[in-house]
Amino acid sequence: MNKWQQTKKTGTDWIGQFQTSVVRALQEIGQWSCKAGRDALNRHSLGGFLLLVFVGTTLSIAIATANASISHHLGAIHSGKSDNLIAQQKNIQLNLVSFSVTKAAHDKIIPRFVEKWKKERQQNVTFQQSYGASSSQALSTIEGGVEADVVHLSLAPDVQKIERAGLIQPGWEKEFRNNSIVSKSVVAIVTRQGNPKGIKTWEDLANKEVNVITPNPITSGSARWNFLAFWNAAIKAGRDESKTLDFVGKIYKNSPNLPESARNATDAFFKGGQGDALITYENEVLLKALSEEKPSYSIPDVNFSIDNPIAIVDKNVDKHGTREVAEAFIRYLYTPEAQQIFAETGYRPINSSVAQKKEFVSKYPRLKSLATTNDYGGWDAIQKKFFDDNGIFAKIISDINTSANKSLH
């Protein structure tokens, strides 16, 4: 018998004993009332009868109150959570699930928030962190692999998957500032030192002599941003959709391996020595530049705004009793202090006071053309057109495989 069952049994036994005593008392009242009825003119009997009625009523009220109190207490033990208990706890755990390349920023931001919360609330907050490909992280959250309290993912559709699973309430986009977008970047082209193949533009990626490393759009949020950057560049260059399809197809034909995540793609390029060009987040490149590695890269003037959303996983924070600290953490991510850290680790700051600092104005130059998802009808339209099972990306891969099979025969 576990602790909960023992507690429940003890409470049940106590209630049973109490109920038995009350029943016996009420039976005595019933027997006495019959006798009192036969001698209703006896003043003392009448007074005693009224006294017993009062006692019986009081006992009935007492047992009802006791039942409710014990049931509430047992329920609190069973769930392990209540608002008062959470407020009194000295240690709280918050589960953060994010996409792979945010780790460097969160590793610096979280200690600042923990210190701030400790000072204000006298509570120790510890973070359980999980990083990986954005779509895989969304799936893990849905399946309960990690009971995320907060998700910071690469793109809105991954958060929407969690919403459709019933874990996040509709309207999460309006819950925090900037449509719940907390970090931004753009797409970069990284090349080998010295750029031996002269790769500088999107057009260069379609050259059959170039081997391109980019993640798989089915599993990686960054890969979808890369795809949109390719497509947008072709459209802005004046191509119609047919020619744009052909252009983007050539790039993916030059990408024989599609790693699962942005982190895996980066490792394949830098550690595995694969490819002539890596398509990745600008923040990933700038983070590399902070280390001893000095990557050779370019930021094309025609680019796509990478907007990363954040959301509270309502079902889980209510279960864990962590809503208040989760909301406070997200609000903190929008502060100049946290945005400064995002900017230092390669993300374009969304806070205007941070963005206007001289060090970041030069670090993040304005681009000639910066498209957003709104330019292509929003994520619902983008998902349906490009990334659904019958979408354009699936057609591109099918055509590549068909062509490869023909060449083998």
Side-chain angles (χ1 to χ4, degrees):
M1 183 179 292
N2 62 33
K3 185 176 180 181
W4 155 242
Q5 290 170 329
Q6 290 173 342
T7 306
K8 183 175 180 181
K9 185 176 186 302
T10 300
T12 303
D13 289 347
W14 187 90
I15 293 172
Q17 293 169 7
F18 188 37
Q19 286 175 328
T20 299
S21 298
V22 172
V23 168
R24 288 175 180 172
L26 292 176
Q27 287 173 343
E28 291 292 332
I29 292 171
Q31 293 172 0
W32 192 92
S33 65
C34 292
K35 180 180 178 182
R38 293 192 296 268
D39 194 12
L41 294 178
N42 187 314
R43 185 192 314 175
H44 296 291
S45 296
L46 180 60
F49 173 73
L50 292 175
L51 177 61
L52 284 174
V53 170
F54 173 76
V55 171
T57 303
T58 302
L59 287 172
S60 298
I61 294 172
I63 191 170
T65 303
N67 268 300
S69 175
I70 292 171
S71 296
H72 173 76
H73 177 65
L74 294 177
I77 292 172
H78 179 61
S79 68
K81 303 293 177 186
S82 75
D83 292 340
N84 290 336
L85 289 175
I86 290 297
Q88 294 170 6
Q89 285 181 3
K90 292 297 182 183
N91 301 298
I92 302 175
Q93 178 175 291
L94 198 67
N95 299 332
L96 171 65
V97 170
S98 190
F99 61 109
S100 56
V101 296
T102 62
K103 187 176 187 302
H106 284 306
D107 280 349
K108 293 183 177 182
I109 292 172
I110 285 172
R112 303 278 187 94
F113 172 77
V114 168
E115 182 181 0
K116 180 176 183 290
W117 189 261
K118 173 70 172 178
K119 182 178 180 181
E120 293 177 356
R121 300 299 182 93
Q122 291 74 54
Q123 288 179 317
N124 300 313
V125 181
T126 58
F127 280 75
Q128 179 177 323
Q129 303 171 61
S130 173
Y131 298 93
S134 187
S135 294
S136 297
Q137 291 292 76
L139 182 61
S140 178
T141 299
I142 292 168
E143 294 179 343
V146 178
E147 291 190 350
D149 296 305
V150 174
V151 288
H152 179 193
L153 299 178
S154 179
L155 65 175
D158 288 335
V159 181
Q160 290 166 351
K161 290 177 186 176
I162 305 173
E163 176 189 340
R164 288 194 296 271
L167 277 68
I168 295 177
Q169 292 297 315
W172 59 269
E173 303 95 328
K174 302 299 180 183
E175 193 168 352
F176 298 99
R177 283 185 288 166
N178 199 38
N179 292 321
S180 292
I181 301 300
V182 75
S183 57
K184 283 179 175 284
S185 193
V186 294
V187 185
I189 302 174
V190 184
T191 60
R192 296 296 173 192
Q193 287 298 328
N195 194 11
K197 293 195 174 181
I199 304 166
K200 295 181 179 180
T201 69
W202 304 122
E203 300 290 335
D204 295 329
L205 300 179
N207 186 323
K208 65 180 180 179
E209 301 300 323
V210 172
N211 187 285
V212 179
I213 301 295
T214 182
N216 189 336
I218 302 304
T219 58
S220 168
S222 72
R224 297 188 197 185
W225 293 116
N226 295 351
F227 180 97
L228 292 173
F230 302 153
W231 189 272
N232 178 68
I235 292 293
K236 292 295 173 62
R239 291 181 174 90
D240 60 21
E241 287 219 351
S242 177
K243 291 180 179 179
T244 295
L245 180 64
D246 181 64
F247 171 76
V248 176
K250 288 179 180 178
I251 295 177
Y252 279 98
K253 190 173 183 180
N254 291 342
S255 311
N257 299 313
L258 297 173
E260 182 184 55
S261 70
R263 172 63 62 217
N264 290 346
T266 299
D267 287 345
F269 184 81
F270 286 104
K271 296 180 181 180
Q274 300 176 30
D276 302 306
L278 168 69
I279 315 304
T280 188
Y281 296 109
E282 176 188 44
N283 59 278
E284 182 79 344
V285 180
L286 294 177
L287 185 62
K288 285 283 183 184
L290 294 175
S291 65
E292 295 181 358
E293 301 177 63
K294 302 297 179 184
S296 173
Y297 73 98
S298 62
I299 305 293
D301 265 344
V302 176
N303 218 301
F304 212 98
S305 180
I306 299 171
D307 300 334
N308 314 132
I310 197 162
I312 285 177
V313 184
D314 296 288
K315 185 174 182 179
N316 290 343
V317 296
D318 290 341
K319 175 183 178 181
H320 301 155
T322 52
R323 180 177 291 277
E324 183 181 15
V325 68
E327 289 177 345
F329 173 64
I330 293 178
R331 286 194 297 270
Y332 179 73
L333 295 181
Y334 286 90
T335 65
E337 182 179 14
Q339 284 296 311
Q340 173 88 15
I341 295 173
F342 273 121
E344 289 171 354
T345 51
Y347 292 89
R348 296 194 168 218
I350 62 172
N351 182 286
S352 59
S353 64
V354 176
Q356 291 168 8
K357 289 187 175 183
K358 185 177 180 180
E359 60 186 297
F360 298 132
V361 169
S362 58
K363 187 175 183 178
Y364 302 107
R366 294 178 66 88
L367 300 175
K368 178 181 177 181
S369 174
L370 188 63
T372 70
T373 55
N374 290 335
D375 295 327
Y376 289 87
W379 270 114
D380 287 343
I382 289 171
Q383 179 67 31
K384 182 177 181 180
K385 179 174 181 176
F386 297 112
F387 304 120
D388 275 358
D389 291 343
N390 296 318
I392 287 176
F393 177 73
K395 176 175 173 49
I396 288 173
I397 297 302
S398 177
D399 289 347
I400 291 173
N401 290 336
T402 300
S403 176
N405 289 334
K406 286 182 179 178
S407 65
L408 292 175
H409 297 82

